[in-house]
Amino acid sequence: MQVIIVENKKQVAEKAFEIIKDTIQSKANPVLGLATGSTPIELYQRMIQANEAKEVSFKDVSSYNLDEYVGLNKDHPQSYAYFMRENLFNHIDINQENTHLPQGDVADLQAECDRYDSLVKSMPADIQVLGIGSNGHIAFNEPGSSFESTTHIIKLTKQTREDNARFFDKAEDVPTHAITMGIATILVAKKIILMATSTSKADAIQQMIEGNVDTDCPATVLQNHPDVIVIVDKEAASKLG
Ligand code: PGA
């Protein structure tokens, strides 16, 4: 694991952007694994800015996302599909047909998990962007999730629902379940960039980097991946020894 500590959120986004840009410019058909949440928003703004400035093109890029809420269709304002269009896809030259998210509003959720898992494994990401939950989750793989897990339905923990309630009108509107790439699915990526900012992530970052590899903190599994870059601000790094 390579750990890069920078001053602030803006620099976290800049570092991540530089790595993504290098990859996009060195591959004919780059594949990006993308994430939602507050952490990647500045990175996406930087990608939009660079695209507008013709510094980088996403024309030949394909992408897939980590997860989606169960029960929300892709036009629901809190769905991750909507988030990705609003925060990135509508503002860059990517072909939206090449952007993939799991569908959370289908009748047969197991079939959707299987479809999505096969899709991801058929096009391993050149770079997977990850955030981390304050409880150490990656995507929606909550503590206790098996490291062998493939794309599956998960019941969200109370803490994750509380963390995400800020995006919804009422706490009880937060969906109870999500469809998420499993840990084994995430690890097929060739390179992983995990970004974290603020003191609320300091415990999870400390555990991920210095703790034992254990399902109690799902992010510790990244210690087993050959190419992980952790980019954190000083606050998120504040508990590192
Ligand atoms: P956040 O979420 O970027 O909104 O903090 C990260 C996560 O839960 O993985």
Side-chain angles (χ1 to χ4, degrees):
M1 246 183 208
Q2 184 190 348
V3 183
I4 301 175
I5 304 173
V6 294
E7 282 294 318
N8 52 42
K9 279 166 79 165
K10 192 162 187 291
Q11 290 177 8
V12 169
E14 187 59 33
K15 272 277 164 221
F17 172 71
E18 281 167 18
I19 298 165
I20 289 173
K21 182 178 150 188
D22 280 354
T23 298
I24 289 179
Q25 293 181 335
S26 64
K27 308 256 167 176
N29 294 104
V31 179
L32 296 182
L34 298 173
T36 51
S38 322
T39 312
I41 288 179
E42 289 201 321
L43 165 65
Y44 296 159
Q45 286 170 352
R46 183 68 183 87
M47 287 162 70
I48 293 166
Q49 184 199 23
N51 191 224
E52 283 168 353
K54 305 211 181 319
E55 187 187 341
V56 62
S57 170
F58 298 92
K59 211 165 38 68
D60 300 320
V61 171
S62 301
S63 73
Y64 52 76
N65 265 73
L66 293 165
D67 44 17
E68 180 60 284
Y69 287 118
V70 166
L72 304 191
N73 75 47
K74 66 182 178 34
D75 296 319
H76 188 289
Q78 301 309 335
S79 72
Y80 287 165
Y82 187 96
F83 175 102
M84 289 307 300
R85 292 199 302 279
E86 282 292 299
N87 287 289
L88 186 63
F89 300 150
N90 286 350
H91 311 287
I92 59 173
D93 61 353
I94 198 165
N95 178 351
Q96 294 210 27
E97 283 178 11
N98 296 333
T99 66
H100 308 280
L101 283 98
Q103 263 184 272
D105 63 338
V106 294
D108 189 344
L109 285 164
Q110 188 51 51
E112 176 60 6
C113 291
D114 296 344
R115 179 195 73 84
Y116 201 73
D117 208 72
S118 303
L119 175 82
V120 171
K121 287 176 178 159
S122 72
M123 47 185 278
D126 293 300
I127 296 191
Q128 172 70 59
V129 173
L130 285 183
I132 184 168
S134 57
N135 62 1
H137 73 205
I138 47 173
F140 273 133
N141 294 286
E142 300 284 23
S145 299
S146 160
F147 289 164
E148 274 79 52
S149 57
T150 56
T151 303
H152 60 289
I153 304 298
I154 191 147
K155 186 173 189 309
L156 300 177
T157 61
K158 191 164 169 285
Q159 182 170 2
T160 296
R161 292 186 72 224
E162 283 169 8
D163 284 352
N164 290 1
R166 67 191 190 279
F167 300 113
F168 291 82
D169 290 339
K170 297 195 292 292
E172 56 270 32
D173 290 346
V174 183
T176 55
H177 290 76
I179 177 167
T180 184
M181 271 164 63
I183 292 177
T185 323
I186 293 171
L187 294 185
V188 303
K190 295 174 197 161
K191 181 191 279 296
I192 295 177
I193 301 178
L194 185 140
M195 295 186 290
T197 60
S198 96
T199 45
S200 64
K201 303 293 172 68
D203 284 322
I205 288 295
Q206 192 268 337
Q207 188 67 22
M208 174 180 81
I209 295 170
E210 296 173 355
N212 296 329
V213 178
D214 192 296
T215 55
D216 284 350
C217 178
T220 57
V221 76
L222 298 176
Q223 293 179 23
N224 295 340
H225 188 282
D227 190 356
V228 176
I229 306 178
V230 180
I231 311 173
V232 282
D233 69 359
K234 278 184 155 172
E235 291 184 355
S238 60
K239 295 206 171 157
L240 291 176

